[in-house]
Amino acid sequence: MKRQIAMVVGAIALACGAQAAHAGPTLDAVKKKGFVQCGLTDGVSGFSSVDSKGVWSGMDVDICRGVAAAVFGDPQKFKGLALSTQQRFTALQSGEVDVLLRTVTLTQTRDTSLGLSAVAASFYDGQGILVRKSLGIKSARELDGATVCVQPGTTTELNLSDWFRANGIKFTPVVIDKVSEVVRAFESGRCDAFTDDASQLAAVRATQVSKPDDYEILPERFSKEPLGPMVRQGDENWLGIVRWTLFALMEAEEYGITQKNVDEMLKSNNPNVLRILGVTPGAGKNMGLDEKWAYNAIKAVGNYGEIFERNVGKNSKLGLARGTNALWNHGGAMYPWPVR
């Protein structure tokens, strides 16, 4: 009898513990206010920008919309907040935003000492340098004595200094906060070069300078830049919701689930597909969400490949190749954890 009582008490404790794990303060707050507040960048074509009517677009924005769809079943239940490099971490720490999607490089310091948690890489990048073709420069090693435009408070600033010092090259940084102002300074000739993540340099060249063909990105890459969302530490439930939404979008591509065929795939014979789409229940309950959380996200924004191609890939002005951002089974580094 005592053993039976102990088993019952243990089962109740386990159930209560599991229920507590499903609820989190961020999810509760998000549901209460009725939207997901995302920290974004304004002016980085392909990743996040807002037009004169207040409409956001870009790869990071689509991931934010996917999270909103997973939580609410509605991708429009999000708000974007444009943040500078200096504002972004404070805004997340203070609770001003629920998730930071501002082309953030995931580093050890940011994941440990700022009270923040890295979710997962949503885009693998590397720092490069943009120059005018008229300079006749074919390598960053030829930039001795050059002035270089860079944003403050970024890994970009540190990487630039480290690389130039390691190669015995002197340069003068021109530190400017906003991307749009950096571009104006660079195009006006205030800087000989402009450094940023290579994807952002491609976006600048394609959409923000008057004569794109006058500029080129030099071949060197100074760093590894795994970009991805960040959330506050201490709320594992919310971390899981953002992380698994991103992984579900990647797994959707892996299993051929698209925005167009997602309803048809509800009848799939593949057990993995049925788990992702919530036909086989469990994954949603694990996070305190509706079982259709991943279905709703995919229906709203498409799979990871669709998001990539329309924003920064072959169907966009940037025309970036998948490269490292291809799925693991296509030679890339995108290896989503399984939804099971």
Side-chain angles (χ1 to χ4, degrees):
M1 185 65 177
K2 290 182 179 179
R3 183 180 179 186
Q4 289 177 328
I5 293 173
M7 290 175 66
V8 171
V9 171
I12 293 172
L14 182 61
C16 291
Q19 187 176 6
H22 297 164
T26 306
L27 178 58
D28 289 343
V30 165
K31 286 184 174 180
K32 185 176 181 180
K33 66 188 177 186
F35 62 89
V36 179
Q37 182 76 68
C38 297
L40 299 165
T41 312
D42 180 20
V44 182
S45 179
F47 288 89
S48 62
S49 57
V50 60
D51 65 18
S52 59
K53 296 181 180 179
V55 177
W56 285 92
S57 63
M59 189 171 182
D60 291 336
V61 178
D62 279 348
I63 294 171
C64 175
R65 293 174 63 229
V67 173
V71 173
F72 294 107
D74 184 349
Q76 299 308 316
K77 288 192 173 182
F78 86 95
K79 292 185 179 180
L81 180 63
L83 298 170
S84 70
T85 54
Q86 303 287 50
Q87 298 168 328
R88 55 185 172 171
F89 297 125
T90 302
L92 182 56
Q93 291 162 342
S94 67
E96 189 176 4
V97 298
D98 303 310
V99 56
L100 183 62
L101 287 138
R102 195 194 176 285
T103 52
V104 182
T105 301
L106 308 179
T107 68
Q108 190 268 353
T109 298
R110 292 172 177 177
D111 190 50
T112 57
S113 67
L114 298 182
L116 307 178
S117 291
V119 173
S122 58
F123 189 92
Y124 288 103
D125 211 342
Q127 184 176 334
I129 284 189
L130 183 69
V131 297
R132 296 174 193 79
K133 291 180 180 179
S134 61
L135 291 179
I137 292 174
K138 297 302 179 183
S139 167
R141 289 179 172 81
E142 300 174 48
L143 287 172
D144 194 22
T147 53
V148 182
C149 278
V150 62
Q151 288 184 276
T154 62
T155 55
T156 307
E157 188 177 16
L158 178 61
N159 294 336
L160 179 71
S161 179
D162 286 349
W163 191 87
F164 272 70
R165 186 186 305 115
N167 284 275
I169 303 170
K170 294 181 179 180
F171 77 101
T172 301
V174 179
V175 181
I176 304 172
D177 191 29
K178 293 183 178 180
V179 174
S180 58
E181 294 176 3
V182 175
V183 174
R184 283 198 296 271
F186 173 59
E187 195 170 16
S188 69
R190 185 177 169 190
C191 321
D192 299 311
F194 171 27
T195 188
D196 210 323
D197 295 339
S199 61
Q200 294 200 48
L201 295 178
V204 166
R205 183 177 60 181
T207 64
Q208 297 187 48
V209 295
S210 57
K211 297 180 179 180
D213 291 341
D214 289 353
Y215 301 88
E216 64 182 339
I217 300 173
L218 297 179
E220 289 86 359
R221 295 294 178 267
F222 307 139
S223 65
K224 295 181 293 183
E225 301 292 334
L227 309 179
M230 297 199 79
V231 297
R232 286 180 294 282
Q233 286 180 5
D235 191 340
E236 296 301 314
N237 174 241
W238 184 248
L239 170 64
I241 287 170
V242 180
R243 173 180 287 160
W244 286 106
T245 298
L246 178 58
F247 284 159
L249 297 174
M250 293 180 186
E251 278 219 304
E253 181 184 9
E254 184 175 339
Y255 290 110
I257 309 169
T258 68
Q259 190 174 30
K260 185 177 181 179
N261 74 9
V262 65
D263 287 310
E264 179 184 345
M265 295 296 278
L266 291 170
K267 302 173 185 178
S268 172
N269 293 321
N270 188 323
N272 295 308
V273 171
L274 298 182
R275 276 191 291 266
I276 293 167
L277 298 182
V279 177
T280 301
K285 183 180 178 182
N286 291 342
M287 300 183 292
L289 299 179
D290 187 279
E291 293 297 350
K292 295 181 70 175
W293 63 281
Y295 165 90
N296 289 332
I298 298 161
K299 184 77 171 179
V301 298
N303 64 40
Y304 177 82
E306 291 177 290
I307 294 169
F308 184 100
E309 297 299 357
R310 73 167 166 264
N311 287 297
V312 301
K314 61 185 178 183
N315 299 325
S316 73
K317 292 181 179 180
L318 275 64
L320 299 179
R322 286 293 292 268
T324 307
N325 294 297
L327 292 179
W328 64 279
N329 54 355
H330 287 85
M334 289 301 176
Y335 192 97
W337 303 350
V339 177
R340 62 178 304 131

